[in-house]
Amino acid sequence: MGGDKTKIILSITPPLLIIILLFYGGIFYGLVQSLGYQPAIGKYEINFDAYYNILFSERYAKLFWTGLALNLWVSFVSTFLAAVLALFAALAIRKTFFGKTVCNFIYSLNLPMPHLVVAVGIIFVFSQSGLLARMLAQLNIISSPGDFPVLVKDKYGVGIILAYIWKESAFFFIILMSVLQSLGENFEELAQSLGANRWQRFRYVILPLVMPSLFSASIIVFAFSFGAYEVPALLGVIYPQMLPVMAFEFFLNPDLNARSEGMALSIIIALIVMILVIIYFWLTQTRIRKD
Amino acid sequence: MTEVNIVNLIKNFSGMTRPAVDNISINIQNGELIALLGPSGCGKTTILKMITGLLTPDNGDILLDNQSILSVPTEKRNVVMVFQNYLLFPYMNVNENVGFSLKMKGDDPKVINKRVQEMLELVKLPDIGERRPKQLSGGQQQRVALARALIANPRLLLLDEPLSNLDAHLRDEMRELITSIQKKLGVTCMFVTHDQEEAVLLADKIALIFDGKLQNFAEPKEFYEKPINVSAAKFFGGVNFIELNKNTNYFDSSIGKIISNQKNVDELHSKCIATIRPENIKISRENIYQDNFFKGKIKSVIFSGTHTRYKIVINNLNLECSLQSLGIQNINKEDEVFVNLPKDKIWIMND
Amino acid sequence: MNQNLKKINIYSIYLGAFILVLPIIAFFINAFSFRWFYPQLIPKELSMQAWVRLKLIPREGSRTLEGFLDLWATNPTVIKALINSLTIGFVVTIVSIIIALPAARVLGLFNFKFKKLIIFLMVSPTILPPIAFVLGLNINFISLGFSGSFFGVCLVHLVPIMPYVVLTLTGIFANYNPDFEYQARTLGANKFKTFYLITLPAIAPGMVVAALFAFLVSWSQYLLTFLIGAGKIMTLPLLVFSTASSGNPALTAAISIIFIFPAILILFFTSKFVSGESSATSGFGKI
């Protein structure tokens, strides 16, 4: 058994070391710096000033709280809509019809597409002189670009939400297709023979069956959209600003004192995501225990 | 209480050279328990799906009490199916599972609770209502599935391989439960299976289907004693076949003259085939010079507990014979014996 | 199903598919038309000017093989970024597979103390945002001298990639029966032959998925490359981002098309493998 133990330790150590040193090390170093310990500019004291400044100071508080609100709004709405749209798409597409393979491919197309490109694509389609505006102009529904609503770089985060829906609905779609495929249609056929109509089959059979997968995929998507940088950096506005962009800009600020605030903000983002995931696991664990 | 009529049912699938269901007609009386028996791919599940309405037939009709149900949507047919793997909804407890169809109808929760309890008592599981499907054994799951189907008072109950997922010792128990409940409620019932033993154990009558065609629809006993052709005989474990040429009042074969007192001799073609079940063949050391006596040689002796099987060769024809081991004569390999094929036990059919 | 409902169903699927490909259509129109004025739906003329400006295609008149080679020999930014992206992607993919393989085998086949803790530590980068660790790490890398280096960028790319590669391969090994290896050894195969003839074929499909996934994550990485590369390592996503911010749609579209090409190619060849059960799929959400 001694040999086994050595083998296990030797095999596990390299990847674990990479994660611990780079990932946890990075977080730890960020945490330390967020507490004001910055030897580079001669600060060795530990305090919570950066956190206090972000949460309560006149200078940053408004920026932070509106940013947090925008973050929650964007993540909730885009996660929910992407999940719902993907569910309907998956339910519609699993039946055989002409062009099924092609449609399947197109619906999965955004899965490997980088977020950055999706964001650029949203600009091309939804900006005031974008493809959609041109189509409406051709149909004489609008006459000038100004008639088209501001959907990109708008203060409600519509462009960001659109980009996440585009990208993450493909992710939900793939997951749902595989869940539906492994479930087969027997449960629905059974429910139908027991007298359930179309709506009842959706409400009492399909929805509860796909809910666990849909829920855990939602957590992944929510956590990602809450902490990602690229999409809001390209499609967002300066105020209100999503937290990851804000953290990054604090960090790049030539005033090195703002660096602590940037670090604090990134720690706050991580904390919120972590709390969310813990709540999720707590919910699923209690559900499993009830079973 | 429903009479079921399946009339000239035909179903084709694209990509198949023959119809999946080929002109099948079956009449099922009130309260009968019928088996659709056949190897996998024979079309029996397709028939089931057409009865539930999940598939539409290309031709023919399905009548319940002389009324066609083809235009009635599945959920309004009140034809309930119990799937082979039970398919209890994993996110519901037993009570919710059993009460499903009443909830879909929009019944009052109090009424549902009362009916659920009745049904669970009927399947002899009165105390498990709060449990989840995962916490039940296979046998319990099947009973719950049965209760869930019966609560709707189905006009026709369909079962998919009802015994095949159960251990041998549970099979007897479940067979008794299904037949007793079925007779008690008088519900007309049809099940599909590929296992002739399952069909024989449960069914009042068996519809044997090969390649989408109905071979025979009769009581189980008949499939053993009077099979309609060689494939049907083989499906029910027949192993002894003798090619015959019909003569005026006897048959010629490679081992000699064979006499039968079968009544339907007129229907037989000039070339036909005789079969006899191994347990009906008699062996003796002496020649009694009766009809259907042949001299043969024992090729092998296989002791299998209560019975002993002998492989005998007569003039290049191999036959198998099975005798009770108890009080057996001392017959060994390579012994010469006389084989009797009793004329009331031999069955002759067209191929 | 009701026939009308079925038709509505199918038409809405087609409509959805059309909406989903709109951005791709926009990319191609933008990339091959230099002056695409509002409200034209279709540009008046095709133009390769964006590609010429990016020094990917020579000016009209010199579009011969020699012309292409001469142009590319001047080492235009896009080609440089493309080569950087490819090199980093390949290095990170190979390194991550080599490091993850033994760990995944152990995690998939054995039960031991702290296994759950180790898996928890290993997968946490999949859920926590990269901004949480990269800001702190950046300062560390600067003091270690990794910042702005090829090595530093490769190292930091390992963080988002490693968890998925380990998870995917662990899944493969969890369904793998090592008795095949013992059988091969008893039949006279040595350790190397056993790995080559027994283990490798069994895990190859999973390994391909893991590798493609690792490559794509590295290929799409913006934030980590930007911070750790410190402006010295230019990759395609950095180029897309800066071009998009500066607002020339034609150039942005042209670079984007090069950028998404491997993604579509990989999806095309792996749509069979990519299913919801593969843990790599959940990683695609993060690209």
Side-chain angles (χ1 to χ4, degrees), chain B residues 268-317:
Chain B
L268 295 172
H269 304 155
S270 62
K271 284 201 181 281
C272 44
I273 290 185
T275 184
I276 183 164
R277 300 204 65 84
E279 56 273 23
N280 289 334
I281 296 180
K282 289 182 181 146
I283 314 178
S284 63
R285 291 220 176 254
E286 296 102 45
N287 191 344
I288 312 173
Y289 296 106
Q290 265 187 352
D291 293 336
N292 297 351
F293 250 79
F294 307 99
K295 192 169 165 190
K297 196 179 210 177
I298 304 284
K299 296 306 284 181
S300 73
V301 181
I302 305 154
F303 174 76
S304 64
T306 56
H307 283 73
T308 304
R309 282 181 97 89
Y310 299 90
K311 287 194 174 166
I312 309 161
V313 62
I314 312 169
N315 265 359
N316 292 333
L317 176 77

Short mmCIF file of all heavy atoms in Angstrom, two decimals, chain B residues 268-317:
data_model
loop_
_atom_site.label_atom_id
_atom_site.label_comp_id
_atom_site.label_asym_id
_atom_site.label_seq_id
_atom_site.Cartn_x
_atom_site.Cartn_y
_atom_site.Cartn_z
N LEU B 268 -53.95 -31.10 -44.75
CA LEU B 268 -52.50 -31.21 -44.89
C LEU B 268 -52.10 -31.35 -46.35
O LEU B 268 -52.79 -31.99 -47.14
CB LEU B 268 -51.99 -32.40 -44.09
CG LEU B 268 -52.18 -32.29 -42.58
CD1 LEU B 268 -51.83 -33.60 -41.91
CD2 LEU B 268 -51.36 -31.15 -42.01
N HIS B 269 -50.97 -30.73 -46.70
CA HIS B 269 -50.45 -30.86 -48.06
C HIS B 269 -49.79 -32.22 -48.20
O HIS B 269 -49.62 -32.95 -47.22
CB HIS B 269 -49.44 -29.75 -48.34
CG HIS B 269 -50.01 -28.38 -48.13
ND1 HIS B 269 -49.24 -27.29 -47.84
CD2 HIS B 269 -51.29 -27.94 -48.16
CE1 HIS B 269 -50.00 -26.24 -47.70
NE2 HIS B 269 -51.26 -26.60 -47.89
N SER B 270 -49.32 -32.53 -49.41
CA SER B 270 -48.72 -33.84 -49.60
C SER B 270 -47.37 -33.93 -48.89
O SER B 270 -46.97 -34.99 -48.43
CB SER B 270 -48.55 -34.13 -51.10
OG SER B 270 -47.68 -33.17 -51.65
N LYS B 271 -46.65 -32.79 -48.80
CA LYS B 271 -45.43 -32.80 -47.98
C LYS B 271 -45.75 -32.05 -46.70
O LYS B 271 -46.17 -30.89 -46.74
CB LYS B 271 -44.29 -32.10 -48.72
CG LYS B 271 -43.68 -32.94 -49.82
CD LYS B 271 -42.28 -32.45 -50.16
CE LYS B 271 -41.66 -33.27 -51.29
NZ LYS B 271 -41.12 -34.56 -50.83
N CYS B 272 -45.55 -32.70 -45.57
CA CYS B 272 -45.86 -32.03 -44.31
C CYS B 272 -44.84 -32.46 -43.24
O CYS B 272 -43.92 -33.23 -43.52
CB CYS B 272 -47.29 -32.30 -43.87
SG CYS B 272 -47.78 -34.02 -44.05
N ILE B 273 -45.02 -31.95 -42.07
CA ILE B 273 -44.00 -32.18 -41.02
C ILE B 273 -44.69 -32.62 -39.73
O ILE B 273 -45.72 -32.07 -39.33
CB ILE B 273 -43.18 -30.90 -40.79
CG1 ILE B 273 -42.29 -30.68 -42.02
CG2 ILE B 273 -42.34 -30.99 -39.52
CD1 ILE B 273 -41.34 -29.54 -41.90
N ALA B 274 -44.12 -33.63 -39.12
CA ALA B 274 -44.63 -34.10 -37.84
C ALA B 274 -43.75 -33.59 -36.72
O ALA B 274 -42.55 -33.44 -36.90
CB ALA B 274 -44.66 -35.62 -37.81
N THR B 275 -44.37 -33.32 -35.58
CA THR B 275 -43.58 -32.95 -34.42
C THR B 275 -44.13 -33.68 -33.20
O THR B 275 -45.31 -34.07 -33.18
CB THR B 275 -43.60 -31.42 -34.20
OG1 THR B 275 -42.75 -31.12 -33.10
CG2 THR B 275 -45.00 -30.92 -33.89
N ILE B 276 -43.27 -33.88 -32.24
CA ILE B 276 -43.72 -34.51 -30.99
C ILE B 276 -42.87 -33.96 -29.86
O ILE B 276 -41.66 -33.75 -30.02
CB ILE B 276 -43.63 -36.06 -31.09
CG1 ILE B 276 -44.17 -36.69 -29.80
CG2 ILE B 276 -42.20 -36.51 -31.36
CD1 ILE B 276 -44.48 -38.17 -29.95
N ARG B 277 -43.49 -33.67 -28.73
CA ARG B 277 -42.73 -33.11 -27.62
C ARG B 277 -41.85 -34.18 -26.98
O ARG B 277 -42.25 -35.35 -26.91
CB ARG B 277 -43.66 -32.47 -26.60
CG ARG B 277 -44.48 -31.33 -27.20
CD ARG B 277 -44.94 -30.35 -26.16
NE ARG B 277 -43.84 -29.62 -25.53
CZ ARG B 277 -43.28 -28.52 -26.06
NH1 ARG B 277 -43.71 -28.04 -27.22
NH2 ARG B 277 -42.31 -27.91 -25.42
N PRO B 278 -40.67 -33.84 -26.51
CA PRO B 278 -39.73 -34.84 -25.98
C PRO B 278 -40.36 -35.70 -24.88
O PRO B 278 -40.09 -36.90 -24.80
CB PRO B 278 -38.60 -34.00 -25.42
CG PRO B 278 -38.65 -32.72 -26.17
CD PRO B 278 -40.09 -32.50 -26.51
N GLU B 279 -41.22 -35.09 -24.05
CA GLU B 279 -41.77 -35.85 -22.92
C GLU B 279 -42.83 -36.86 -23.36
O GLU B 279 -43.25 -37.71 -22.57
CB GLU B 279 -42.34 -34.90 -21.85
CG GLU B 279 -43.39 -33.92 -22.32
CD GLU B 279 -42.80 -32.61 -22.87
OE1 GLU B 279 -41.62 -32.61 -23.29
OE2 GLU B 279 -43.53 -31.60 -22.89
N ASN B 280 -43.25 -36.79 -24.63
CA ASN B 280 -44.28 -37.73 -25.10
C ASN B 280 -43.69 -38.94 -25.82
O ASN B 280 -44.41 -39.86 -26.21
CB ASN B 280 -45.25 -37.02 -26.05
CG ASN B 280 -46.14 -36.05 -25.29
OD1 ASN B 280 -46.38 -36.25 -24.09
ND2 ASN B 280 -46.61 -35.03 -25.96
N ILE B 281 -42.38 -38.92 -26.04
CA ILE B 281 -41.73 -40.06 -26.70
C ILE B 281 -41.49 -41.16 -25.67
O ILE B 281 -41.11 -40.88 -24.53
CB ILE B 281 -40.41 -39.63 -27.35
CG1 ILE B 281 -40.68 -38.61 -28.47
CG2 ILE B 281 -39.64 -40.83 -27.89
CD1 ILE B 281 -39.44 -38.13 -29.17
N LYS B 282 -41.75 -42.39 -26.06
CA LYS B 282 -41.51 -43.51 -25.13
C LYS B 282 -40.33 -44.35 -25.63
O LYS B 282 -40.16 -44.52 -26.84
CB LYS B 282 -42.76 -44.38 -25.02
CG LYS B 282 -43.87 -43.68 -24.26
CD LYS B 282 -45.08 -44.57 -24.13
CE LYS B 282 -46.19 -43.85 -23.37
NZ LYS B 282 -47.51 -44.26 -23.89
N ILE B 283 -39.56 -44.86 -24.70
CA ILE B 283 -38.44 -45.73 -25.07
C ILE B 283 -38.62 -47.07 -24.36
O ILE B 283 -38.99 -47.11 -23.18
CB ILE B 283 -37.08 -45.16 -24.61
CG1 ILE B 283 -36.98 -43.67 -24.96
CG2 ILE B 283 -35.94 -45.93 -25.23
CD1 ILE B 283 -35.68 -43.05 -24.48
N SER B 284 -38.33 -48.14 -25.05
CA SER B 284 -38.31 -49.43 -24.35
C SER B 284 -37.22 -50.31 -24.95
O SER B 284 -36.74 -50.04 -26.06
CB SER B 284 -39.68 -50.11 -24.47
OG SER B 284 -39.93 -50.38 -25.83
N ARG B 285 -36.85 -51.32 -24.22
CA ARG B 285 -35.82 -52.23 -24.71
C ARG B 285 -36.40 -53.24 -25.68
O ARG B 285 -35.72 -53.75 -26.55
CB ARG B 285 -35.17 -52.96 -23.54
CG ARG B 285 -34.33 -52.04 -22.68
CD ARG B 285 -33.08 -52.77 -22.29
NE ARG B 285 -32.21 -51.88 -21.53
CZ ARG B 285 -31.12 -51.37 -22.04
NH1 ARG B 285 -30.77 -51.62 -23.28
NH2 ARG B 285 -30.37 -50.60 -21.30
N GLU B 286 -37.71 -53.56 -25.50
CA GLU B 286 -38.30 -54.59 -26.37
C GLU B 286 -39.14 -53.97 -27.47
O GLU B 286 -39.72 -52.91 -27.28
CB GLU B 286 -39.20 -55.55 -25.56
CG GLU B 286 -38.47 -56.36 -24.53
CD GLU B 286 -38.67 -55.79 -23.15
OE1 GLU B 286 -39.82 -55.45 -22.82
OE2 GLU B 286 -37.67 -55.62 -22.43
N ASN B 287 -39.21 -54.65 -28.57
CA ASN B 287 -40.06 -54.23 -29.67
C ASN B 287 -41.44 -54.82 -29.45
O ASN B 287 -41.61 -56.03 -29.37
CB ASN B 287 -39.47 -54.72 -30.99
CG ASN B 287 -40.17 -54.07 -32.17
OD1 ASN B 287 -41.26 -53.51 -32.01
ND2 ASN B 287 -39.53 -54.18 -33.33
N ILE B 288 -42.45 -53.95 -29.33
CA ILE B 288 -43.79 -54.47 -29.08
C ILE B 288 -44.55 -54.58 -30.41
O ILE B 288 -45.69 -55.01 -30.46
CB ILE B 288 -44.53 -53.56 -28.08
CG1 ILE B 288 -43.61 -53.28 -26.88
CG2 ILE B 288 -45.78 -54.21 -27.52
CD1 ILE B 288 -44.15 -52.28 -25.91
N TYR B 289 -43.91 -54.24 -31.51
CA TYR B 289 -44.50 -54.30 -32.83
C TYR B 289 -45.85 -53.61 -32.90
O TYR B 289 -46.85 -54.15 -33.32
CB TYR B 289 -44.62 -55.78 -33.31
CG TYR B 289 -43.26 -56.39 -33.45
CD1 TYR B 289 -42.79 -57.31 -32.52
CD2 TYR B 289 -42.43 -55.99 -34.51
CE1 TYR B 289 -41.55 -57.85 -32.64
CE2 TYR B 289 -41.17 -56.54 -34.62
CZ TYR B 289 -40.73 -57.47 -33.68
OH TYR B 289 -39.50 -57.99 -33.79
N GLN B 290 -45.87 -52.37 -32.43
CA GLN B 290 -47.07 -51.56 -32.59
C GLN B 290 -46.83 -50.56 -33.70
O GLN B 290 -45.77 -50.57 -34.31
CB GLN B 290 -47.32 -50.79 -31.30
CG GLN B 290 -48.29 -51.47 -30.36
CD GLN B 290 -48.61 -50.55 -29.20
OE1 GLN B 290 -48.00 -49.51 -29.04
NE2 GLN B 290 -49.56 -50.98 -28.40
N ASP B 291 -47.83 -49.67 -33.93
CA ASP B 291 -47.61 -48.57 -34.87
C ASP B 291 -46.52 -47.65 -34.31
O ASP B 291 -46.35 -47.53 -33.11
CB ASP B 291 -48.89 -47.75 -35.02
CG ASP B 291 -49.97 -48.56 -35.69
OD1 ASP B 291 -49.60 -49.50 -36.42
OD2 ASP B 291 -51.16 -48.25 -35.46
N ASN B 292 -45.86 -46.96 -35.22
CA ASN B 292 -44.89 -45.92 -34.88
C ASN B 292 -43.80 -46.42 -33.94
O ASN B 292 -43.42 -45.75 -33.00
CB ASN B 292 -45.59 -44.71 -34.23
CG ASN B 292 -46.55 -44.04 -35.18
OD1 ASN B 292 -46.58 -44.38 -36.37
ND2 ASN B 292 -47.33 -43.13 -34.68
N PHE B 293 -43.35 -47.65 -34.15
CA PHE B 293 -42.22 -48.16 -33.37
C PHE B 293 -40.98 -48.15 -34.25
O PHE B 293 -41.03 -48.63 -35.38
CB PHE B 293 -42.51 -49.59 -32.89
CG PHE B 293 -42.71 -49.63 -31.41
CD1 PHE B 293 -43.93 -49.25 -30.85
CD2 PHE B 293 -41.67 -50.02 -30.59
CE1 PHE B 293 -44.10 -49.28 -29.49
CE2 PHE B 293 -41.86 -50.04 -29.21
CZ PHE B 293 -43.07 -49.68 -28.65
N PHE B 294 -39.87 -47.61 -33.74
CA PHE B 294 -38.66 -47.53 -34.55
C PHE B 294 -37.47 -47.94 -33.72
O PHE B 294 -37.43 -47.69 -32.52
CB PHE B 294 -38.45 -46.11 -35.07
CG PHE B 294 -39.65 -45.56 -35.78
CD1 PHE B 294 -40.54 -44.70 -35.12
CD2 PHE B 294 -39.92 -45.92 -37.10
CE1 PHE B 294 -41.66 -44.22 -35.77
CE2 PHE B 294 -41.04 -45.42 -37.74
CZ PHE B 294 -41.92 -44.58 -37.09
N LYS B 295 -36.49 -48.52 -34.42
CA LYS B 295 -35.29 -48.94 -33.71
C LYS B 295 -34.26 -47.82 -33.79
O LYS B 295 -34.00 -47.28 -34.87
CB LYS B 295 -34.74 -50.19 -34.40
CG LYS B 295 -33.67 -50.89 -33.60
CD LYS B 295 -33.41 -52.25 -34.25
CE LYS B 295 -32.13 -52.85 -33.74
NZ LYS B 295 -31.77 -54.03 -34.56
N GLY B 296 -33.70 -47.45 -32.65
CA GLY B 296 -32.74 -46.35 -32.65
C GLY B 296 -31.60 -46.61 -31.70
O GLY B 296 -31.54 -47.63 -31.03
N LYS B 297 -30.67 -45.65 -31.67
CA LYS B 297 -29.50 -45.81 -30.83
C LYS B 297 -29.35 -44.57 -29.96
O LYS B 297 -29.56 -43.43 -30.43
CB LYS B 297 -28.27 -45.93 -31.74
CG LYS B 297 -27.05 -46.48 -31.04
CD LYS B 297 -25.92 -46.58 -32.04
CE LYS B 297 -24.97 -47.71 -31.70
NZ LYS B 297 -23.94 -47.83 -32.73
N ILE B 298 -29.04 -44.75 -28.68
CA ILE B 298 -28.87 -43.62 -27.77
C ILE B 298 -27.52 -42.94 -28.06
O ILE B 298 -26.48 -43.58 -28.03
CB ILE B 298 -28.88 -44.08 -26.30
CG1 ILE B 298 -30.16 -44.84 -25.97
CG2 ILE B 298 -28.67 -42.90 -25.36
CD1 ILE B 298 -31.37 -44.01 -25.80
N LYS B 299 -27.55 -41.63 -28.39
CA LYS B 299 -26.30 -40.91 -28.66
C LYS B 299 -25.77 -40.21 -27.41
O LYS B 299 -24.56 -40.05 -27.26
CB LYS B 299 -26.51 -39.86 -29.76
CG LYS B 299 -26.89 -40.42 -31.11
CD LYS B 299 -25.92 -41.46 -31.61
CE LYS B 299 -24.62 -40.85 -32.12
NZ LYS B 299 -23.72 -41.91 -32.61
N SER B 300 -26.69 -39.75 -26.55
CA SER B 300 -26.20 -39.14 -25.32
C SER B 300 -27.28 -39.15 -24.24
O SER B 300 -28.47 -39.24 -24.56
CB SER B 300 -25.73 -37.70 -25.57
OG SER B 300 -26.85 -36.88 -25.76
N VAL B 301 -26.84 -39.11 -23.01
CA VAL B 301 -27.75 -39.13 -21.86
C VAL B 301 -27.40 -37.92 -20.99
O VAL B 301 -26.26 -37.76 -20.59
CB VAL B 301 -27.56 -40.42 -21.04
CG1 VAL B 301 -28.54 -40.43 -19.86
CG2 VAL B 301 -27.76 -41.64 -21.91
N ILE B 302 -28.38 -37.04 -20.79
CA ILE B 302 -28.11 -35.85 -19.98
C ILE B 302 -29.05 -35.85 -18.79
O ILE B 302 -30.26 -35.71 -18.92
CB ILE B 302 -28.33 -34.55 -20.79
CG1 ILE B 302 -27.48 -34.59 -22.06
CG2 ILE B 302 -27.99 -33.32 -19.95
CD1 ILE B 302 -28.03 -33.75 -23.17
N PHE B 303 -28.47 -36.04 -17.62
CA PHE B 303 -29.28 -36.04 -16.40
C PHE B 303 -29.49 -34.60 -15.95
O PHE B 303 -28.55 -33.84 -15.79
CB PHE B 303 -28.53 -36.85 -15.32
CG PHE B 303 -29.21 -36.80 -13.99
CD1 PHE B 303 -30.37 -37.55 -13.77
CD2 PHE B 303 -28.72 -36.01 -12.96
CE1 PHE B 303 -31.00 -37.51 -12.54
CE2 PHE B 303 -29.35 -35.96 -11.73
CZ PHE B 303 -30.50 -36.71 -11.52
N SER B 304 -30.74 -34.18 -15.79
CA SER B 304 -30.97 -32.80 -15.35
C SER B 304 -31.98 -32.77 -14.21
O SER B 304 -32.99 -32.09 -14.27
CB SER B 304 -31.45 -31.94 -16.52
OG SER B 304 -32.69 -32.41 -16.96
N GLY B 305 -31.71 -33.53 -13.17
CA GLY B 305 -32.57 -33.50 -12.00
C GLY B 305 -33.79 -34.38 -12.18
O GLY B 305 -33.65 -35.58 -12.39
N THR B 306 -34.98 -33.75 -12.14
CA THR B 306 -36.20 -34.56 -12.19
C THR B 306 -36.34 -35.31 -13.51
O THR B 306 -36.97 -36.35 -13.57
CB THR B 306 -37.45 -33.67 -12.00
OG1 THR B 306 -37.41 -32.65 -13.00
CG2 THR B 306 -37.45 -33.03 -10.63
N HIS B 307 -35.75 -34.74 -14.56
CA HIS B 307 -35.84 -35.40 -15.86
C HIS B 307 -34.47 -35.79 -16.40
O HIS B 307 -33.46 -35.22 -16.02
CB HIS B 307 -36.55 -34.50 -16.88
CG HIS B 307 -38.02 -34.47 -16.70
ND1 HIS B 307 -38.64 -33.80 -15.66
CD2 HIS B 307 -39.03 -35.05 -17.43
CE1 HIS B 307 -39.95 -33.95 -15.74
NE2 HIS B 307 -40.21 -34.71 -16.80
N THR B 308 -34.49 -36.77 -17.28
CA THR B 308 -33.27 -37.13 -17.98
C THR B 308 -33.57 -37.04 -19.47
O THR B 308 -34.61 -37.51 -19.94
CB THR B 308 -32.83 -38.55 -17.62
OG1 THR B 308 -32.69 -38.63 -16.20
CG2 THR B 308 -31.53 -38.91 -18.29
N ARG B 309 -32.65 -36.38 -20.20
CA ARG B 309 -32.87 -36.21 -21.64
C ARG B 309 -31.99 -37.19 -22.41
O ARG B 309 -30.83 -37.38 -22.10
CB ARG B 309 -32.52 -34.77 -22.06
CG ARG B 309 -33.58 -33.78 -21.72
CD ARG B 309 -33.17 -32.40 -22.18
NE ARG B 309 -33.76 -32.06 -23.48
CZ ARG B 309 -34.95 -31.47 -23.60
NH1 ARG B 309 -35.66 -31.17 -22.53
NH2 ARG B 309 -35.45 -31.19 -24.79
N TYR B 310 -32.58 -37.78 -23.42
CA TYR B 310 -31.84 -38.72 -24.26
C TYR B 310 -31.84 -38.18 -25.67
O TYR B 310 -32.87 -37.72 -26.17
CB TYR B 310 -32.52 -40.09 -24.26
CG TYR B 310 -32.58 -40.72 -22.90
CD1 TYR B 310 -33.67 -40.50 -22.07
CD2 TYR B 310 -31.53 -41.52 -22.44
CE1 TYR B 310 -33.73 -41.05 -20.82
CE2 TYR B 310 -31.59 -42.09 -21.18
CZ TYR B 310 -32.69 -41.85 -20.37
OH TYR B 310 -32.73 -42.41 -19.13
N LYS B 311 -30.68 -38.24 -26.30
CA LYS B 311 -30.63 -37.95 -27.74
C LYS B 311 -30.54 -39.28 -28.46
O LYS B 311 -29.66 -40.10 -28.17
CB LYS B 311 -29.44 -37.06 -28.07
CG LYS B 311 -29.67 -35.65 -27.59
CD LYS B 311 -28.71 -34.65 -28.17
CE LYS B 311 -29.14 -33.27 -27.72
NZ LYS B 311 -28.13 -32.27 -27.94
N ILE B 312 -31.46 -39.49 -29.39
CA ILE B 312 -31.55 -40.78 -30.07
C ILE B 312 -31.41 -40.54 -31.56
O ILE B 312 -31.92 -39.55 -32.09
CB ILE B 312 -32.94 -41.41 -29.81
CG1 ILE B 312 -33.25 -41.42 -28.31
CG2 ILE B 312 -33.00 -42.83 -30.36
CD1 ILE B 312 -34.71 -41.60 -28.01
N VAL B 313 -30.73 -41.45 -32.23
CA VAL B 313 -30.67 -41.34 -33.68
C VAL B 313 -31.33 -42.57 -34.30
O VAL B 313 -31.10 -43.69 -33.90
CB VAL B 313 -29.23 -41.13 -34.19
CG1 VAL B 313 -28.34 -42.31 -33.83
CG2 VAL B 313 -29.21 -40.85 -35.68
N ILE B 314 -32.27 -42.28 -35.25
CA ILE B 314 -32.94 -43.35 -35.98
C ILE B 314 -32.69 -43.08 -37.46
O ILE B 314 -33.20 -42.08 -37.98
CB ILE B 314 -34.46 -43.33 -35.74
CG1 ILE B 314 -34.75 -43.22 -34.24
CG2 ILE B 314 -35.10 -44.56 -36.33
CD1 ILE B 314 -36.21 -42.92 -33.94
N ASN B 315 -31.90 -43.93 -38.11
CA ASN B 315 -31.67 -43.73 -39.56
C ASN B 315 -31.30 -42.30 -39.91
O ASN B 315 -31.95 -41.68 -40.75
CB ASN B 315 -32.97 -44.05 -40.33
CG ASN B 315 -32.95 -45.47 -40.83
OD1 ASN B 315 -31.96 -46.18 -40.60
ND2 ASN B 315 -34.03 -45.88 -41.48
N ASN B 316 -30.32 -41.71 -39.25
CA ASN B 316 -29.91 -40.31 -39.52
C ASN B 316 -30.87 -39.27 -38.99
O ASN B 316 -30.62 -38.08 -39.13
CB ASN B 316 -29.72 -40.03 -41.02
CG ASN B 316 -28.53 -40.78 -41.54
OD1 ASN B 316 -27.61 -41.06 -40.77
ND2 ASN B 316 -28.56 -41.12 -42.81
N LEU B 317 -31.99 -39.65 -38.42
CA LEU B 317 -32.91 -38.67 -37.86
C LEU B 317 -32.65 -38.55 -36.36
O LEU B 317 -32.61 -39.55 -35.64
CB LEU B 317 -34.36 -39.12 -38.09
CG LEU B 317 -35.39 -38.18 -37.45
CD1 LEU B 317 -35.58 -36.92 -38.27
CD2 LEU B 317 -36.73 -38.89 -37.25
#
